[in-house]
Amino acid sequence: MPEPTLFPRASGILLHPTCLPGPDGIGDLGPAAHRFVDWLADHAQSIWQVLPLGPTSYGDSPYQTLSAFGGNPLLVSFERLHADGWLTAADLADRPDLPADHVEFGPVINWKMMVLDRAWAGFCARAAQPQWREFEAWCGRHADWLDTLAMFLALKEENGGQPWPQWEPPLVRRDEAALAQARVRLAKRIDAHRFRQWLFATQWDALREHARRRGVRLVGDIPIFVAHDSSDVWMRPELFQIDAAGKPLAVAGVPPDYFSTDGQLWGNPLYDWKAVAADGYRWWIARVRACLEQVDVVRLDHFRGFEAYWRVPAGAKTAREGSWIPGPGAAMFTALREGLGGTLPLIAEDLGLITPAVDALREQFELPGMKVLQFAWSGPDNAFLPHEHTPHSVVYTGTHDNDPVLGWWRHLAGAEEQALVAEYVGAPVDEPHWTLIRLGLQSCAHTFITTMPDVLGLGREARLNLPGADQGNWSWRFAPAALDGPEGARLARLTWLYRRAPGQKAPARQDPESPAGGSFA
């Protein structure tokens, strides 16, 4: 069992930064993010879990990014850049009228990319030598991935945004003469993209330091697969199952499951695990190390794919046509443990079709698994029910792929499931979101995570992602006033009651007349 300091009894919130309030059409790393850290700390929450932080592309999904190492420049705060002196009031005077309750990615991307170029111009014009040295030193420390990403993004701009297999053949195969010419031709754009990455990194580092001061740990997320149109696949094609022209030989997905009767056809290129192993798993070690430079603990998405992955032939219409292929297994995690120098601060996302071999792999490396309370109500032997939980696990009300609890309750939970919830808690269920929050906080699992929509009592309108849907995902945001309501105090009281904040003074009850709040909620 890992040392208790890695996973003390604690609780927190799952919220991606894009969901935060802010003036530029999308949540960012500015004042609202710092205020959210304060709200967590003030209400006895010691964990903030985010989704992958990489630069998004077509579809706007944080699970399909242009780089496994870079940051998303859409998260850069213009308020911070104005305070730093790289933007002037005039640079922000033409701010468009963007919605506050959701992200309209097209207009947001156009606005933010334009203003980031203004910030680069401002930096070039006004930065002093110490600031230039800081920027250049950071670029040097991260050159192993940064130079490739900046070149990739500049070439992608030059090619009208087309995926890299559609570029000129010398660039597709990374011919050194063609790359040398591009470095000269695109030098200014390459530096502009380096600058965007530096801005993200400095703002994230400031946020992480603020979280550390307030006693809030950050939990990050690493998707098992990377996007086909990414700097990672373009630069290291030998690590993936693709042909000489860059086309996948097979793609990733999962068989029919809870979300889809045809399975999920993700389309990501698959790893050539023999090539990855022959390279000593160095790419994966670097990837996990880079993420752990940003966060304290990492949720490893689709953990079961490391034991065996679902291989779908290229061109297949649905994921039904796939088959299970052995993954790297223990060899990769042994290499990670040796490369990172000790205990692995990882959470295994072990949802879906889990076999004894997957459980054995997780247990071999002492990784906590996930328990999702929305999945718990098939009967008393369901492993997601609180009485079946184990201490070394992380319990969630739901994930970014689920409806908020109220949406689940109103649209997906049948009468039998609802009746079982009421029977389980021995009381009427008037507020199902608080019922599941209380059950999660009660659990013997060392970590409990709920979502911000569940704390706020929101329904399907606040769903972040519907797997398989082509549009409308990743866009929900909340208003600044949402943090001023009574929900935080209610959460703090329950957190104290179930001892997930040692040393916390007892907050006032929300309803002194009834310790249970009237119903089990």
Side-chain angles (χ1 to χ4, degrees):
M1 187 74 67
E3 62 271 19
T5 53
L6 182 57
F7 292 109
R9 186 167 174 81
S11 63
I13 303 290
L14 169 61
L15 179 81
H16 200 48
T18 57
C19 303
L20 292 163
D24 291 295
I26 189 170
D28 58 40
L29 307 181
H34 288 251
R35 185 192 176 205
F36 183 66
V37 167
D38 291 335
W39 182 90
L40 289 169
D42 291 345
H43 295 97
Q45 304 310 298
S46 55
I47 297 171
W48 180 4
Q49 181 172 333
V50 299
L51 305 183
L53 295 167
T56 52
S57 183
Y58 177 79
D60 309 304
S61 170
Y63 291 90
Q64 296 281 352
T65 64
L66 295 167
S67 169
F69 293 83
N72 189 351
L74 294 178
L75 297 178
V76 171
S77 164
F78 292 166
E79 294 168 281
R80 297 283 177 182
L81 297 188
H82 183 253
D84 290 340
W86 314 137
L87 291 175
T88 66
D91 289 326
L92 299 172
D94 56 344
R95 177 181 276 132
D97 185 16
L98 296 166
D101 61 346
H102 69 282
V103 183
E104 289 187 1
F105 281 98
V108 164
I109 291 168
N110 291 338
W111 164 245
K112 298 215 75 166
M113 296 304 113
M114 178 177 65
V115 177
L116 286 169
D117 281 342
R118 294 174 182 173
W120 172 233
F123 183 84
C124 291
R126 296 187 289 276
Q129 282 301 313
Q131 293 158 328
W132 273 105
R133 285 195 293 270
E134 181 184 347
F135 168 53
E136 291 168 350
W138 183 86
C139 290
R141 290 195 301 273
H142 298 278
D144 54 343
W145 62 263
L146 178 64
D147 290 351
T148 298
L149 175 58
M151 169 73 81
F152 176 84
L153 294 172
L155 284 168
K156 196 167 176 64
E157 285 178 343
E158 186 180 52
N159 284 273
Q162 291 187 1
W164 65 267
Q166 298 178 26
W167 300 348
E168 291 295 322
L171 293 173
V172 170
R173 62 176 183 264
R174 300 164 320 285
D175 178 81
E176 187 51 46
L179 293 180
Q181 293 172 5
R183 288 188 191 97
V184 175
R185 183 175 71 251
L186 301 173
K188 291 183 179 180
R189 292 309 300 162
I190 290 171
D191 282 343
H193 285 293
R194 287 193 182 105
F195 178 70
R196 293 178 183 183
Q197 290 299 311
W198 179 61
L199 294 179
F200 171 88
T202 54
Q203 291 191 1
W204 181 264
D205 288 348
L207 181 62
R208 186 179 186 189
E209 180 56 31
H210 182 61
R212 186 179 288 115
R213 289 195 301 268
R214 294 303 317 266
V216 174
R217 292 183 299 150
L218 301 177
V219 176
D221 195 320
I222 292 181
I224 181 174
F225 299 114
V226 297
H228 182 210
D229 188 24
S230 67
S231 61
D232 312 288
V233 181
W234 176 63
M235 187 61 187
R236 298 296 306 273
E238 72 278 9
L239 300 181
F240 298 88
Q241 297 181 34
I242 61 176
D243 64 19
K247 296 180 180 179
L249 301 172
V251 297
V254 289
D257 62 5
Y258 174 87
F259 295 107
S260 173
T261 56
D262 283 329
Q264 298 179 47
L265 187 59
W266 295 336
N268 306 73
L270 296 166
Y271 298 100
D272 181 339
W273 283 115
K274 289 184 179 179
V276 177
D279 193 46
Y281 297 98
R282 288 189 299 172
W283 185 87
W284 263 99
I285 293 169
R287 186 184 185 191
V288 176
R289 180 183 291 118
C291 192
L292 287 171
E293 290 176 357
Q294 297 176 328
V295 299
D296 302 289
V297 177
V298 174
R299 171 190 178 271
L300 194 56
D301 189 52
H302 196 56
F303 176 79
R304 78 100 53 243
F306 295 103
E307 191 279 324
Y309 60 93
W310 190 249
R311 185 182 191 272
V312 184
K317 299 297 184 182
T318 74
R320 284 183 177 273
E321 301 175 48
S323 58
W324 290 110
I325 305 295
M332 189 186 107
F333 290 94
T334 298
L336 282 176
R337 188 164 57 188
E338 293 173 354
L340 298 172
T343 302
L344 295 175
L346 304 176
I347 297 168
E349 187 271 285
D350 56 345
L351 306 177
L353 182 59
I354 303 303
T355 65
V358 178
D359 286 334
L361 179 63
R362 178 181 56 75
E363 291 169 2
Q364 179 180 349
F365 292 91
E366 301 181 316
L367 307 182
M370 289 175 55
K371 311 294 183 184
V372 179
L373 291 173
Q374 286 188 33
F375 299 160
W377 308 103
S378 63
D381 59 346
N382 188 305
F384 290 155
L385 283 170
H387 66 264
E388 297 285 345
H389 293 176
T390 57
H392 192 44
S393 58
V394 183
V395 58
Y396 292 80
T397 50
T399 75
H400 63 276
D401 284 333
N402 298 121
D403 254 328
V405 169
L406 275 185
W408 165 74
W409 187 262
R410 292 167 178 168
H411 302 287
L412 298 174
E416 290 186 6
E417 287 181 288
Q418 293 185 2
L420 186 58
V421 176
E423 184 177 9
Y424 192 84
V425 301
V429 180
D430 298 326
E431 298 176 290
H433 51 302
W434 281 106
T435 295
L436 263 60
I437 288 172
R438 182 186 284 265
L439 285 174
L441 286 164
Q442 284 179 342
S443 169
C444 68
H446 55 53
T447 304
F448 168 66
I449 304 289
T450 188
T451 70
M452 200 61 189
D454 287 344
V455 173
L456 297 176
L458 301 177
R460 179 160 283 183
E461 73 280 3
R463 182 166 188 161
L464 196 58
N465 180 49
L466 177 62
D470 294 331
Q471 297 180 341
N473 290 330
W474 318 112
S475 63
W476 174 74
R477 301 175 71 199
F478 68 87
L483 298 183
D484 298 329
E487 295 85 3
R490 188 173 185 180
L491 182 63
R493 175 73 184 186
L494 291 175
T495 303
W496 166 82
L497 184 62
Y498 298 116
R499 292 180 58 81
R500 291 192 178 271
Q504 176 195 9
K505 292 181 61 177
R509 278 187 187 147
Q510 293 303 289
D511 180 3
E513 301 289 326
S514 172
S519 68
F520 195 87

